[in-house]
Amino acid sequence: MSDLQTLIEQAWADRALLQHPDTVAAIAHVIEELDKGRLRVAEPTADGQDWLVNDWVKKAVILYFPLQQMQTQAVGPFEYHDKMRLKTDYAGQQVRVVPPATARYGAFLAPGVILMPSYVNIGAHVGEGTMVDTWATVGSCAQVGKGVHLSGGVGLGGVLEPVQAAPVIIEDGAFIGSRSILVEGCRIGKEAVIGAGVTITGSTKIIDVTGPEPREYRGYVPPRSVVIPGSIPKQFPAGEYQVPCALIIGQRKPSTDLKTSLNDALRDFGVSV
């Protein structure tokens, strides 16, 4: 792996090396490893408390684009014109894909993943048993854990550049409500429940209002938190206005641990999914 990384780093510093067969083969191998799940753009640290970004893998994804030529692909009645080919052999990977769901080659889908009509971009990693519901999008390099539910219309942003930036990370067992938007490398902790319409960026204030004093996070939702949209006042030259934030209103209860009862996690607090 160190030889691969060296070739990628050299090509990143000198794009003329993209003409060399060894460099082209190294980049193609990285994308193949991403596609098969043997390599990841980001991975949890040994203690599981943080994530490590493999920025050289991101560089390989970026370098892969100029190496590809535009081509027309026919899929039944659909026609595509793009540089990237689509994933194939879903039956062999034990993945259920409902037309017209699309996943690009270079994205990993673990066994048991279900794609309703949705989109998964290159570099993404989607864990076992996760549901990607209708019109949800999993952006480039997004990391989605096991047993996650991405509800209808959820948008997970892609993060390719800057290469050192963390991608969007959704940890195991999280439930993401309809039309939520999670971008700029935000991280959603294990088994958290994000209510419908919540927007979280790297700079969004996430305020825990469950105690006597508010506690503030930026771009990070702690495990098992139940989160809804909120707003806070902000002073501008023209006056005071409300700006969006996210509110942690409680913790997921043991009674909502089963996937079949995830919707109850929000109803417990009088919030719709």
Side-chain angles (χ1 to χ4, degrees):
M1 197 64 70
S2 60
D3 291 342
L4 269 181
Q5 183 173 353
T6 298
L7 287 169
I8 300 302
E9 295 286 8
Q10 290 173 343
W12 185 257
D14 180 5
R15 301 302 169 93
L17 293 174
L18 292 178
Q19 306 301 317
H20 290 202
D22 287 350
T23 302
V24 173
I27 293 169
H29 185 66
V30 171
I31 304 305
E32 175 72 10
E33 293 295 285
L34 283 171
D35 190 78
K36 296 297 186 289
R38 294 187 290 257
L39 192 61
R40 298 179 66 165
V41 166
E43 53 196 340
T45 55
D47 60 8
Q49 300 301 308
D50 205 350
W51 285 71
L52 173 67
V53 179
N54 298 315
D55 57 4
W56 69 274
V57 178
K58 269 193 183 183
K59 291 174 182 177
V61 174
I62 295 169
L63 293 173
Y64 185 64
F65 280 85
L67 295 177
Q68 303 308 300
Q69 301 298 316
M70 295 293 291
Q71 57 181 313
T72 297
Q73 303 175 67
V75 183
F78 300 101
E79 182 180 294
Y80 300 92
H81 189 230
D82 189 24
K83 287 188 170 187
M84 297 294 174
R85 70 181 195 261
L86 303 179
K87 284 185 72 69
T88 56
D89 189 30
Y90 288 120
Q93 298 167 49
Q94 302 176 56
V95 175
R96 179 185 173 192
V97 181
V98 178
T102 301
R104 268 176 158 177
Y105 171 72
F108 174 69
L109 305 175
V113 166
I114 298 174
L115 298 186
M116 298 302 286
S118 56
Y119 181 76
V120 183
N121 208 347
I122 186 172
H125 186 105
V126 183
E128 185 176 350
T130 285
M131 160 73 83
V132 183
D133 220 328
T134 304
W135 308 137
T137 56
V138 180
S140 55
C141 302
Q143 305 292 295
V144 182
K146 300 178 181 179
V148 171
H149 189 117
L150 303 179
S151 300
V154 164
L156 304 185
V159 181
L160 273 176
E161 296 186 272
V163 293
Q164 71 272 17
V168 173
I169 295 170
I170 313 296
E171 296 184 343
D172 295 353
F175 180 88
I176 313 299
S178 299
R179 300 303 190 268
S180 293
I181 300 172
L182 309 173
V183 297
E184 291 182 19
C186 69
R187 176 183 166 196
I188 309 300
K190 290 182 179 181
E191 300 177 349
V193 177
I194 307 299
V198 171
T199 297
I200 297 177
T201 73
S203 59
T204 299
K205 288 187 177 182
I206 303 165
I207 306 172
D208 187 336
V209 296
T210 60
E213 296 291 335
R215 181 177 182 184
E216 186 176 308
Y217 301 87
R218 293 290 183 106
Y220 172 64
V221 173
R224 299 187 67 83
S225 298
V226 177
V227 181
I228 65 170
S231 64
I232 54 175
K234 183 176 176 63
Q235 191 68 37
F236 295 91
E240 185 177 272
Y241 295 88
Q242 296 292 316
V243 296
C245 70
L247 301 177
I248 298 174
I249 59 169
Q251 292 290 303
R252 189 167 162 181
K253 299 179 180 179
S255 61
T256 61
D257 280 347
L258 296 177
K259 188 170 183 179
T260 54
S261 60
L262 275 174
N263 291 357
D264 295 336
L266 289 174
R267 296 196 180 103
D268 285 342
F269 298 94
V271 179
S272 61
V273 175

